[in-house]
Amino acid sequence: EIVLTQSPATLSLSPGERATLSCRASQSVSSNLAWYQQKPGQAPRLIIYDASNRATGVPARFSGSGSGTDFTLTISSLEPEDSAVYYCQQRSTWWTFGQGTKVEIK
Amino acid sequence: EVQLVESGGGLVQPGGSLRLSCAASEFTFSSYGMNWVRQAPGKGLEWVSAISGGGGHTYYADSVKGRFTISRDNSKDTLYLQMSSLRAEDTAIYYCAKEGGHAKPFDSWGQGTLVTVSS
């Protein structure tokens, strides 16, 4: 089973700052990595698929990069509405999620 | 717009059973793999089970294998999760989620249904 490890656990930044979230896989997943955003009381929302493709309707300030075992989600200029928990996900034999990174807006 | 509406959650005693349903609309249901994902209170996401579009292939997390059964009725555009031998650690919000294509990430999610296992 491939394990995804996200860091940091929590990120506290001010509006307009750049957020960099990391996801590391225990073995290569090629580019088969997705990112989700989950706000309190809501279902997750797909924001990035295939490591670097934005899902429909996702603002351009969100970008993904990486391949193999190391991946990054970048939010170029934080907005108050970006406050959420972000999860990475991969599929090998089955799906697994990382444990999440909470982004707090100061 | 794709809609996924879960139902069937509730309070059940340890060792009991429950069947969840997910009614789908506004897409060709039989063309897409479907999944169940759960989230324990205050915790992260855990994938539970998947089923192929035709229903012929099913997959389970080790934590539920042998206790949960995923199925679908493509004539009714409905996904199911039959849960038995329930444990306290199965307490969670259960979401159904649609794959974006074959083995593609989940591009649509339901609002979730809460399952509480407690005596």
Side-chain angles (χ1 to χ4, degrees):
Chain A
E1 175 185 334
I2 296 178
V3 176
L4 299 177
T5 302
Q6 292 186 240
S7 61
T10 304
L11 203 50
S12 185
L13 296 168
S14 299
E17 289 193 299
R18 182 184 191 91
T20 303
L21 288 66
S22 173
C23 177
R24 178 163 291 177
S26 58
Q27 56 186 281
S28 177
V29 298
S30 186
S31 295
N32 298 318
L33 190 102
W35 292 91
Y36 296 84
Q37 176 192 65
Q38 187 180 33
K39 297 181 179 180
Q42 296 185 16
R45 171 198 180 196
L46 177 66
I47 55 172
I48 298 288
Y49 63 95
D50 292 345
S52 61
N53 294 295
R54 274 190 302 278
T56 303
V58 175
R61 64 181 180 273
F62 290 90
S63 64
S65 63
S67 66
T69 60
D70 290 299
F71 299 87
T72 301
L73 173 68
T74 301
I75 310 172
S76 60
S77 180
L78 279 166
E79 300 281 349
E81 61 265 30
D82 299 333
S83 179
V85 179
Y86 293 83
Y87 296 94
C88 56
Q89 179 205 38
Q90 69 80 37
R91 174 171 177 156
S92 54
T93 307
W94 54 77
W95 300 99
T96 56
F97 291 92
Q99 80 277 21
T101 290
K102 184 177 184 178
V103 174
E104 297 178 338
I105 311 297
K106 293 178 183 176
Chain B
E1 182 182 346
V2 169
Q3 289 212 10
L4 299 169
V5 180
E6 301 95 336
S7 60
L11 175 65
V12 61
Q13 292 188 341
S17 298
L18 208 58
R19 188 178 84 157
L20 306 183
S21 300
C22 172
S25 60
E26 305 302 325
F27 68 101
T28 305
F29 183 66
S30 61
S31 295
Y32 293 90
M34 296 294 295
N35 292 259
W36 289 99
V37 176
R38 68 185 180 183
Q39 187 168 37
K43 302 297 184 183
L45 302 173
E46 180 188 14
W47 172 79
V48 172
S49 184
I51 187 168
S52 59
H57 300 278
T58 57
Y59 309 87
Y60 299 93
D62 288 343
S63 58
V64 306
K65 201 171 292 183
R67 301 187 300 122
F68 289 12
T69 301
I70 191 171
S71 63
R72 63 192 298 161
D73 185 338
N74 287 343
S75 69
K76 296 181 178 179
D77 291 350
T78 303
L79 174 72
Y80 302 101
L81 185 68
Q82 177 69 47
M83 304 185 294
S84 61
S85 302
L86 283 161
R87 307 166 180 166
E89 54 265 35
D90 295 318
T91 295
I93 296 173
Y94 285 74
Y95 296 101
C96 67
K98 167 187 168 289
E99 293 181 8
H102 176 63
K104 290 296 185 183
F106 309 156
D107 61 357
S108 297
W109 296 65
Q111 85 288 350
T113 187
L114 176 64
V115 172
T116 303
V117 184
S118 174
S119 54

